[in-house]
Amino acid sequence: MSLEDAAEELASDLGVDKEEVKDDLEKLVSYSVPMDEAKQSLRRKYGDSGGGGGGGEPPKTDIADIEPDMGNVTVTARVLTVGKRSIRYEGDDQVIFEGELADETGTISYTAWTDFSLSAGDTITAGNAGVREWEGDPELNLGESTTVTLHDEPLEVPYDVGGERDLIDLRPGDRGRTVEVKALEVEHKTIDGRDGETDILSGVLGDETARLPFTDWDPHAELAEGESVRLKDIYVREYRGVPSVNVTEFSTVETVPAVEVSDSATEMSVHEAVEAGGVFDAELTGNVIEVRDGSGLIQRCSECGRVVQNDQCRSHGQVDPEDDLRVKAILDDGTDTVTVVLGRELTEEVYGGTLKDALEHARDAMDREVVAEEIAADLVGREYRVRGALSVDEYGANLDATEFEASEGDPETRAHELLAEVGQ
């Protein structure tokens, strides 16, 4: 059934204005609410049970029992976090409130399309709250048809109230978080935003636990390179496989005393890093078992920087390519494998010469492949410590290296340690 037909049917059954129903229906469907659930929600809103669906609010449900296909539910929960953000809907800016709720059985994220004046620590009953799937998990939608009742007696839950987190604990989908960090890198950019050219800040934040990328969509002067700041009401997205901190016009940015930042990366096995789905600053140790095709001397598009074949760029067609150096090495630590990508600077270090030297080498040999062959002869079979940003996608796990050096540890000792872990 089309949206137009559904709106006409509802308006006829409920005796209300068709355009009003259509607007409500369009909004629900745009939020990924299935058509049947959207229709039932509007029947409840306008006072009709929908023929056997039962009137009044849905029965109370434990958070752990909520599934994406449940339609509408009523929950009693503690508000853990509250965030505020602006989104673009049908060409207009709309402020939404979002965060996390919890009861004794679990936690669930929520989005409130109306300001219910929620605060972290509140205990509420949300009646007739919609349920949708968001990034594979159920999420509550608190809208115009939702009733929110505040309780005086706090609900005891086994979760921390409030958004205070270390960077290492942030996950994509987090909302209303607060962190104290040092701005390690800050870059001013102009992008093509939803309102045309938009100025933003981007870079890297750090604390004692980790480093993560960030974007400030409403540049705050306090967020300057080298400054330590408290960022309140941020949300977290996934960017290239890792959590990314997002600062908005509703975020509070305050200068604080110096935040200590660890110089070391998070040491992990390859398997742990891959299972995490992405780590912005990881340190892995393993043996190079192969140098892949596409290593050594390569050519890039002068427009976009992509690697080209036969002077053909996938985006720009025939181009006049630029020479570059790269290594794509397979690192194996006994738990899993990852493709380690070295840029020009690190490749020049392992090759023992510059790009100019590599080009002369290839000309003398009349073969560009000799550079990759020489690199492979030096790397394969040896153990290395690698640091960088690891991401995982449909093509596998890749780590863009910032450090790459021969391991100082004893490979035999490390092998015994890995075997002991596997045997546990």
Side-chain angles (χ1 to χ4, degrees), residues 265-322:
T266 305
E267 294 187 30
M268 313 175 78
S269 71
V270 175
H271 179 73
E272 289 172 335
V274 173
E275 284 295 301
V279 184
F280 183 70
D281 190 21
E283 181 177 311
L284 313 177
T285 301
N287 289 80
V288 173
I289 60 173
E290 179 187 352
V291 171
R292 295 181 55 189
D293 291 341
S295 297
L297 276 172
I298 61 172
Q299 292 187 313
R300 297 186 182 275
C301 173
S302 55
E303 295 288 331
C304 65
R306 287 191 177 94
V307 176
V308 302
Q309 300 289 339
N310 299 320
D311 298 348
Q312 290 289 325
C313 173
R314 286 178 296 173
S315 297
H316 299 96
Q318 184 78 22
V319 295
D320 184 15
E322 298 176 345

Side-chain angles (χ1 to χ4, degrees), residues 288 291 295-297 325-329 342 347-348 350-352 369-380 384:
V288 173
V291 171
S295 297
L297 276 172
L325 282 170
R326 179 181 71 177
V327 173
K328 296 175 69 176
L342 310 184
T347 300
E348 288 179 335
V350 300
Y351 172 62
E369 296 301 319
V370 295
V371 176
E373 292 169 0
E374 183 169 313
I375 291 172
D378 289 338
L379 298 187
V380 173
Y384 289 88

Side-chain angles (χ1 to χ4, degrees), residues 54-162:
E57 290 186 351
K60 289 186 178 180
T61 305
D62 288 338
I63 285 177
D65 295 331
I66 295 176
E67 299 290 342
D69 60 354
M70 293 184 72
N72 291 64
V73 297
T74 293
V75 297
T76 296
R78 192 86 178 266
V79 179
L80 301 184
T81 60
V82 180
K84 187 177 181 181
R85 186 156 57 99
S86 174
I87 64 170
R88 180 61 55 86
Y89 174 68
E90 292 188 343
D92 296 321
D93 291 333
Q94 179 171 345
V95 175
I96 61 173
F97 301 83
E98 54 188 4
E100 195 170 25
L101 302 175
D103 64 10
E104 303 94 328
T105 69
T107 64
I108 191 169
S109 62
Y110 72 88
T111 296
W113 305 96
T114 299
D115 185 1
F116 292 101
S117 300
L118 301 179
S119 297
D122 287 348
T123 295
I124 63 168
T125 293
N128 201 33
V131 184
R132 70 166 181 170
E133 182 176 322
W134 179 251
E135 296 185 349
D137 295 314
E139 179 187 79
L140 289 183
N141 279 268
L142 314 182
E144 294 178 356
S145 61
T146 303
T147 60
V148 174
T149 305
L150 184 65
H151 300 283
D152 293 330
E153 188 69 23
L155 178 67
E156 295 299 324
V157 297
Y159 305 98
D160 294 332
V161 175

Side-chain angles (χ1 to χ4, degrees), residues 171-184:
R171 298 290 182 269
D174 284 351
R175 304 100 176 263
R177 296 297 189 219
T178 297
V179 295
E180 289 195 0
V181 294
K182 184 175 183 179
L184 303 178

Side-chain angles (χ1 to χ4, degrees), residues 272 415-424:
E272 289 172 335
H416 285 301
E417 292 173 350
L418 286 171
L419 287 173
E421 290 179 11
V422 173
Q424 289 178 352

